[in-house]
Amino acid sequence: MQTNSVTPYSVTAQHAAQPASSPFSRVQTDLSGGFDKVISDAMQRGASDDFVSRLFKNEVRFVQLAEMASQQQPINSKAFLKNLSYEDREVLREVHSLADYIDDSKVDQMSSEGANNLLRLPHTGLDSDNDGFTDIGIGKTFMFPNSNTPPGVAEAWNKTTEGMSFKDKMMAEGHLMSSLIMANIETDKNGRFVARHEPGSPGYVNPFASADFSYQKWSTDWLRYLEDFKLQMSEDQYSRDKRFFESFLQNLKQARVV
């Protein structure tokens, strides 16, 4: 399902209408200012002093590497990564909080999307193949909003989660991730588990990419689920989730998105 023709730097018709301030802009401008925001966000969510110090240490070189990568003609992020020194690969590893050293064998395992996103600011990676996950190196991460989220939905989501703790934001994202996973659980006619389809495998679907997907309906379905199973969850969970989905639904309506 990889879309190798999509680069992290060119503008496509699908995303050309996104606001220039979007963190998912195809063209990365003001990398230094963007990295400052990466550091600020890390501090706000309570990242360790050690992690924040690594960001400060690597800021200048990371920005240089991202700018160098964007000037390739043609762009080939895998080749670019393989030409980097050990020290420069460590800069990328530390900025993106990767566990393992980026050796050539790891680069060979990466999708084009994963290689491209190593050379983008953290949390601005592009889900180029639109499978719902964003490849970073050899790993896949789920984040919302992502580069394919309609602007109106992203606006409603950000308004809903404004002021929420990092933990609560992650729990809210978890509802979307669970919907993505459940859409890829195959069962037989008796409802018994048959298989789970992974990204890139036959049968895998990204429901959020469907032309008829409705975030309003998704929120309404979750509210109905909460009412049906409220006695099987804690009162705190029920109240928190109900408050979140009601707010998100209202903000979607105000943004006039379905």
Side-chain angles (χ1 to χ4, degrees), residues 70-237:
S70 69
Q71 294 167 8
Q72 297 178 93
Q73 294 297 332
I75 288 174
N76 185 332
S77 294
K78 286 193 173 188
F80 182 85
L81 292 171
K82 286 189 174 183
N83 285 325
L84 293 181
S85 66
Y86 170 85
E87 291 77 13
D88 282 342
R89 296 187 195 200
E90 281 293 278
V91 168
L92 299 180
R93 185 184 71 80
E94 291 190 352
V95 166
H96 286 287
S97 301
L98 305 182
D100 299 323
Y101 170 62
I102 306 170
D103 57 24
D104 285 357
S105 66
K106 289 285 194 307
V107 176
D108 288 336
Q109 295 173 48
M110 295 177 192
S111 63
S112 295
E113 179 182 314
N116 290 340
N117 286 335
L118 279 180
L119 298 161
R120 291 183 61 88
L121 292 166
H123 311 299
T124 69
L126 304 179
D127 177 15
S128 302
D129 59 9
N130 204 8
D131 65 359
F133 292 93
T134 303
D135 295 2
I136 309 291
I138 62 172
K140 289 183 176 290
T141 185
F142 181 86
M143 59 183 183
F144 191 87
N146 73 5
S147 60
N148 297 313
T149 305
V153 176
E155 178 185 350
W157 182 270
N158 292 333
K159 184 176 180 180
T160 304
T161 58
E162 184 178 5
M164 289 173 58
S165 68
F166 178 71
K167 178 182 177 181
D168 285 346
K169 285 183 181 180
M170 292 301 99
M171 293 181 70
E173 284 187 22
H175 293 301
L176 285 146
M177 185 174 178
S178 66
S179 295
L180 180 58
I181 292 173
M182 290 305 298
N184 287 285
I185 298 294
E186 181 181 347
T187 58
D188 62 19
K189 62 181 181 181
N190 296 314
R192 291 177 298 206
F193 176 83
V194 173
R196 174 180 166 179
H197 302 294
E198 301 291 343
S201 67
Y204 179 83
V205 296
N206 175 10
F208 308 122
S210 174
D212 61 356
F213 182 81
S214 166
Y215 284 94
Q216 284 198 32
K217 182 179 184 302
W218 177 80
S219 300
T220 301
D221 287 346
W222 267 103
L223 285 168
R224 186 178 301 113
Y225 169 86
L226 290 173
E227 294 304 319
D228 290 344
F229 293 93
K230 64 183 298 184
L231 298 180
Q232 299 179 33
M233 62 184 74
S234 70
E235 184 176 343
D236 285 346
Q237 179 185 351

